[in-house]
Amino acid sequence: MDAMTNPRADRVKDVAKLAGRPSRTKRRQFLVEGPQAVREALQAHRDCLNAGGEPIVDEVYASRECLDRYPELAELLAGSAAQPGGSGKLRIASELVLAAMADTVNPQGVIAVCRFIDVPLAEVVAAKPRLIAMLCRVQDPGNAGTALRAADAAGADAVILSASSVDVYNPKTVRSTVGSLFHLPVVLGVEPAEAAQAFRKAGVGILAADGYGALNLDQLQDESAARSFDQETPEAAYPLEAPTLWLFGNEAQGLSTQELELADHRVAVPVYGAAESLNLGTAATVCLYASARAQRRS
Amino acid sequence: MDAMTNPRADRVKDVAKLAGRPSRTKRRQFLVEGPQAVREALQAHRDCLNAGGEPIVDEVYASRECLDRYPELAELLAGSAAQPGGSGKLRIASELVLAAMADTVNPQGVIAVCRFIDVPLAEVVAAKPRLIAMLCRVQDPGNAGTALRAADAAGADAVILSASSVDVYNPKTVRSTVGSLFHLPVVLGVEPAEAAQAFRKAGVGILAADGYGALNLDQLQDESAARSFDQETPEAAYPLEAPTLWLFGNEAQGLSTQELELADHRVAVPVYGAAESLNLGTAATVCLYASARAQRRS
């Protein structure tokens, strides 16, 4: 197989265009860069095909050095090529070509072109989820990626981004999810009101993470722990072990009045120190881990 | 007072040089940019002088628009100028001058030149701290800042950065702490072994956050909760309510073998989903909040 060596070739330009939202939206494809993220994409691709689903990875561009260094990539690619519908489209490319394709300065030798993987809201609701994170108007690619990774770590069943949030397929967001984008279903472009209505119908409670919330997350956690020890407790303000949709707001302004009104309760994450507020990643981590612990104990 | 309007003036260049580590180290000064961070610096400055300590803020450069828009800055500055040793060195500067001084593209109208505020290890140890976070070889300015902010939110008594960590006075780190740098004592340039020895002597337990740890943080939390409900429990592996130094490792490699050996226990943060690992901010948040909750309950 001839290596691609011309960074000005049309195909190189076509791949590079995926760093921009118009090309992504039109082609419904996005860039995945670096060995770890591409490995996660190829694993998701394999699992999806095995389950009778659609392919995820359309093309992989890698340097020979990278394939030598990460033999699991070559194995995944070989396995993928052998599958019906699998991507056989591995092209060896020079580092110059890869740099011209990539959004990062250093794509570490490998880039994949993947198909959009977001799913419809109805599909997530139908799967009877117990823990869902919704990001409302989150603007920073890194924050969105970090929150998505925290949701993955906490075992959330899905992440939803509101219509006016940053594009989850932005290369910076993809990068900062460190593969988590391929681990759990992501729903895009939904208004908070629509999501709240759909989940409430399905019996899911709705909590808003809000620094000014009347309920304190510690109180909910203590009540949940007490119940697990069969302690007599007054009726809980909200049973943290219940199926829950958490709403998280914009990094600067938090949740809007309308968004807050969608929730059953507004819950404040305790700030023990002098920090004025929590950043989105910290708040999402504390809230989602609190729910996950309560749900696992019940 | 005449406004500074020449972005090529020597004083402007002098301030701008603080974006680089050599100038910072030589002058023991650093840049603080934007209204929120400068407000935190001025409040810390005021509190420090009131407590008989050294000044923190040496100079403030602000646009007239910024002072009009954030009257609390002008008040803090006026109060500060009236104090003995207080900084009266407010200079009005044009947006062009501020942009030339700043590390950010948009310093939002105000920049402060502050003195280094880190404290010696012995001072932190002598204050009988209950919760300390140590960052070992953390390289990314944003990660270090986020971890520091999480430590502040969890009410940690101090943060320690190992000698080979990113410079906490890097403008990017300062920015990502969102003021938390001024909320709790920070110790710099200490080797993990030295810190471990000093805290162990002071009766502080040492836990290493480690994905491969033999102890699970959930187990420690459950044991701690059970004790608080007077449940009979087997002897705890580690009482989470005890004074604790948490060690967090480099974002890519985690803690080294030598660093792990400094700890009484290696504790894994549970990953409920498919995420391979937690990022530093998430791990620090979960660990420090778990200790803080246990300590507050006991």
Side-chain angles (χ1 to χ4, degrees):
Chain A
M1 183 160 47
D2 280 351
M4 294 171 68
T5 54
N6 177 10
R8 291 198 183 76
D10 283 347
R11 194 198 284 221
V12 175
K13 287 180 192 160
D14 270 356
V15 172
K17 274 189 194 148
L18 291 174
R21 192 164 190 168
S23 289
R24 288 199 298 273
T25 306
K26 191 171 155 204
R27 287 151 56 185
R28 296 190 57 76
Q29 287 181 320
F30 67 106
L31 290 177
V32 173
E33 305 175 12
Q36 190 186 353
V38 171
R39 189 185 62 222
E40 302 271 353
L42 285 168
Q43 284 169 345
H45 175 80
R46 178 197 59 196
D47 297 346
C48 196
L49 289 180
N50 284 344
E54 293 291 308
I56 291 173
V57 181
D58 275 336
E59 301 155 22
V60 176
Y61 302 91
S63 68
R64 287 216 170 79
E65 295 69 27
C66 178
L67 292 177
D68 287 345
R69 194 164 163 197
Y70 300 97
E72 76 273 24
L73 283 183
E75 278 167 38
L76 277 164
L77 278 161
S80 165
Q83 284 172 311
S87 161
K89 295 177 191 161
L90 168 66
R91 287 296 305 267
I92 303 294
S94 70
E95 293 291 349
L96 262 182
V97 162
L98 290 165
M101 286 176 167
D103 179 67
T104 34
V105 180
N106 174 13
Q108 297 175 271
V110 60
I111 291 174
V113 173
C114 295
R115 298 191 196 175
F116 280 10
I117 52 175
D118 54 285
V119 299
L121 178 62
E123 190 177 314
V124 166
V125 176
K128 302 201 181 304
R130 298 190 70 197
L131 186 56
I132 313 104
M134 175 151 199
L135 311 181
C136 302
R137 296 173 297 113
V138 169
Q139 295 305 305
D140 178 75
N143 286 344
T146 302
L148 211 154
R149 193 175 170 195
D152 180 22
D157 297 301
V159 170
I160 303 174
L161 277 85
S162 76
S164 42
S165 292
V166 64
D167 183 10
V168 82
Y169 297 121
N170 178 315
K172 286 197 188 68
T173 313
V174 172
R175 217 154 40 232
S176 58
T177 73
V178 197
S180 287
L181 178 58
F182 298 106
H183 292 163
L184 74 177
V186 174
V187 179
L188 302 179
V190 171
E191 292 302 335
E194 187 190 346
Q197 192 183 22
F199 283 110
R200 182 165 283 125
K201 257 194 196 168
V204 174
I206 304 176
L207 296 180
D210 173 27
Y212 303 99
L215 292 185
N216 183 298
L217 189 65
D218 270 0
Q219 180 198 336
L220 298 185
Q221 288 192 88
D222 286 345
E223 288 171 358
S224 165
R227 275 192 299 281
S228 79
F229 290 116
D230 294 322
Q231 300 277 315
E232 297 240 347
T233 46
E235 201 179 337
Y238 181 87
L240 212 49
E241 55 274 24
T244 301
L245 167 69
W246 275 100
L247 303 180
F248 301 105
N250 172 277
E251 43 268 81
Q253 299 130 23
L255 290 163
S256 69
T257 309
Q258 293 94 318
E259 287 158 357
L260 287 169
E261 282 170 358
L262 298 170
D264 300 317
H265 298 282
R266 305 171 190 190
V267 180
V269 176
V271 175
Y272 297 126
E276 265 191 64
S277 62
L278 299 170
N279 76 0
L280 176 66
T282 304
T285 298
V286 175
C287 292
L288 296 171
Y289 261 90
S291 285
R293 269 179 56 74
Q295 293 181 348
R296 263 152 193 79
R297 217 164 24 202
S298 71
Chain B
M1 183 160 47
D2 281 351
M4 294 172 66
T5 54
N6 178 9
R8 291 199 184 73
D10 283 346
R11 195 197 284 222
V12 175
K13 286 181 193 158
D14 269 357
V15 173
K17 272 189 194 148
L18 290 174
R21 191 165 191 167
S23 288
R24 287 198 298 272
T25 306
K26 192 173 155 202
R27 288 152 56 187
R28 297 191 57 77
Q29 287 180 321
F30 67 106
L31 291 177
V32 174
E33 307 176 10
Q36 190 186 354
V38 172
R39 189 186 62 221
E40 302 270 353
L42 286 168
Q43 285 170 345
H45 175 80
R46 178 196 61 196
D47 297 346
C48 195
L49 289 179
N50 284 343
E54 293 291 309
I56 291 173
V57 180
D58 275 336
E59 302 154 22
V60 175
Y61 302 92
S63 68
R64 287 215 170 80
E65 294 70 27
C66 178
L67 292 178
D68 287 345
R69 193 165 165 197
Y70 300 97
E72 76 273 22
L73 283 183
E75 279 168 37
L76 278 163
L77 278 161
S80 165
Q83 284 172 309
S87 161
K89 297 179 189 159
L90 169 66
R91 289 295 306 267
I92 303 293
S94 70
E95 293 289 351
L96 262 182
V97 162
L98 290 166
M101 285 175 167
D103 180 68
T104 33
V105 180
N106 174 14
Q108 298 175 269
V110 61
I111 292 175
V113 173
C114 294
R115 297 193 197 173
F116 279 9
I117 52 175
D118 53 284
V119 299
L121 179 62
E123 190 178 314
V124 166
V125 175
K128 303 204 181 303
R130 297 189 70 197
L131 186 55
I132 313 104
M134 173 151 199
L135 310 182
C136 302
R137 297 173 296 112
V138 169
Q139 294 306 305
D140 178 75
N143 285 343
T146 302
L148 211 153
R149 192 174 170 196
D152 180 21
D157 298 300
V159 170
I160 304 173
L161 277 86
S162 76
S164 42
S165 291
V166 65
D167 183 11
V168 81
Y169 297 120
N170 179 314
K172 286 196 187 69
T173 312
V174 174
R175 217 155 40 233
S176 58
T177 72
V178 196
S180 287
L181 178 58
F182 298 105
H183 293 162
L184 74 177
V186 174
V187 179
L188 303 180
V190 170
E191 291 302 335
E194 187 189 346
Q197 194 184 20
F199 283 110
R200 182 164 284 125
K201 259 194 194 167
V204 174
I206 304 175
L207 296 180
D210 173 27
Y212 303 99
L215 292 185
N216 182 299
L217 188 66
D218 269 359
Q219 180 199 336
L220 298 185
Q221 289 194 88
D222 286 344
E223 287 171 358
S224 165
R227 276 193 298 280
S228 78
F229 291 115
D230 294 322
Q231 299 278 314
E232 297 242 346
T233 46
E235 202 179 339
Y238 181 87
L240 212 49
E241 54 274 25
T244 301
L245 167 69
W246 275 100
L247 303 180
F248 302 104
N250 170 276
E251 44 269 82
Q253 298 130 23
L255 290 163
S256 70
T257 309
Q258 294 93 318
E259 287 158 356
L260 287 169
E261 281 170 359
L262 298 170
D264 300 319
H265 298 282
R266 305 172 191 190
V267 180
V269 176
V271 175
Y272 297 126
E276 265 190 64
S277 62
L278 299 171
N279 76 359
L280 176 65
T282 304
T285 298
V286 175
C287 292
L288 296 171
Y289 261 90
S291 285
R293 269 177 56 75
Q295 292 180 349
R296 262 151 193 80
R297 217 165 22 204
S298 72

